[in-house]
Amino acid sequence: MPTTRRERMRDATLLEIKEVAREHLRAHGPSGISLRGIARDLGMTAPALYRYYASLDDLLTAMIETYTNEICDAMEAARDAMPADDLGGRLVAVTRAFRRWSLDHRPEFAMVFGAPVPGYTEPEEGGVHQAGGRMGAIFFTLFFELWRRQPFPVPPDEEITPALRRQLRLFAAACCGEDDDAPLGVIRLFAASWVRLYGLVAIEVFGHMHFMLEDMEPLFEAELNDLAKTIGLEKGSV
């Protein structure tokens, strides 16, 4: 059903609010975002702004959802630029796209992946949760398909504690649905790989390796190559 003019105007205003909020984020950090300041910059009254976002938490949630989906869009574009049957190349492309977006959007990365905004509580369900599941699925689907095509060594299920097993299975169900057949060891290795990747990107985004390296890219590529070997990718894939 076509949208009405009123709906289009509301959508345009919602987008404008989020764009001004992004400017405030970049200028002042997450704690510097306020509905009153955004309303002032838009030439609106604070009560008028509340018709679009009922609270600051609602706006912050919309921002986090937007930025997470932007990351996903960048990763999917990089994935789809590679041949469909080149799973290794696709996974490497997605990984590099994640790093590139993060470095190009440091304030947004900090808002999605860094310390929570003081006083803000992320909702357990809704758009943010769905966007996070989308991002996990982009990585995990490729990772699992690689293992299914040519299995690489993974931890035995009996070495995984019951508490960890339950959480890994919940993650896989969120990414692949209840009928996924991913062994727990594959999910466990994926979790370890994500921790390693995220750690590399976060430490670069927040500038915590300057004492050692002025350029993190060679280290990132070396670590990416090591991770590729772990999952049996040929040298040409990286």
Side-chain angles (χ1 to χ4, degrees):
M1 179 182 296
T3 59
T4 65
R5 180 173 180 273
R6 183 185 183 89
E7 290 170 333
R8 292 194 297 272
M9 290 179 64
R10 179 176 176 81
D11 288 344
T13 302
L14 287 168
L15 178 60
E16 187 176 14
I17 292 170
K18 284 195 295 184
E19 286 306 306
V20 173
R22 190 195 291 255
E23 293 173 4
H24 284 216
L25 169 67
R26 290 175 172 173
H28 310 295
S31 61
I33 301 169
S34 72
L35 293 181
R36 188 172 299 276
I38 293 168
R40 182 181 62 249
D41 285 0
L42 288 170
M44 301 171 64
T45 64
L49 189 58
Y50 284 115
R51 294 202 297 267
Y52 298 93
Y53 292 101
S55 67
L56 178 59
D57 274 12
D58 285 347
L59 175 57
L60 297 176
T61 296
M63 294 169 70
I64 293 170
E65 179 183 349
T66 295
Y67 304 152
T68 306
N69 279 316
E70 284 182 8
I71 300 170
C72 293
D73 291 343
M75 293 194 302
E76 288 177 346
R79 177 198 65 193
D80 295 343
M82 302 295 292
D85 62 347
D86 184 4
L87 296 178
R90 284 186 150 212
L91 183 57
V92 169
V94 162
T95 303
R96 287 176 174 148
F98 173 73
R99 172 179 176 265
R100 187 70 268 154
W101 187 95
S102 301
L103 293 176
D104 291 343
H105 302 82
R106 295 174 192 246
E108 292 90 336
F109 177 93
M111 191 168 189
V112 175
F113 296 104
V117 178
Y120 171 72
T121 301
E122 183 177 300
E124 295 182 2
E125 298 181 351
V128 170
H129 181 75
Q130 293 166 5
R134 178 188 173 196
M135 188 176 73
I138 293 170
F139 279 112
F140 184 69
T141 299
L142 290 169
F143 193 90
F144 180 38
E145 287 301 318
L146 272 169
W147 177 86
R148 186 148 54 182
R149 176 183 291 184
Q150 187 171 349
F152 42 82
V154 299
D157 283 5
E158 59 270 18
E159 292 183 4
I160 303 173
T161 64
L164 182 55
R165 289 184 194 184
R166 178 183 60 81
Q167 295 177 87
L168 294 176
R169 184 57 67 199
L170 286 173
F171 166 79
C175 286
C176 306
E178 295 292 343
D179 297 328
D180 76 275
D181 58 346
L184 287 172
V186 175
I187 311 170
R188 170 68 179 85
L189 183 59
F190 172 79
S193 300
W194 166 250
V195 168
R196 190 169 173 181
L197 167 64
Y198 168 74
L200 280 167
V201 173
I203 204 170
E204 183 174 12
V205 167
F206 296 127
H208 294 321
M209 282 293 284
H210 288 167
F211 74 95
M212 181 181 291
L213 302 171
E214 63 180 22
D215 178 11
M216 277 280 291
E217 186 167 357
L219 178 60
F220 177 85
E221 290 296 325
E223 290 290 305
L224 183 57
N225 187 66
D226 287 348
L227 283 169
K229 291 177 183 176
T230 301
I231 58 177
L233 291 184
E234 298 177 359
K235 188 173 182 179
S237 298
V238 182

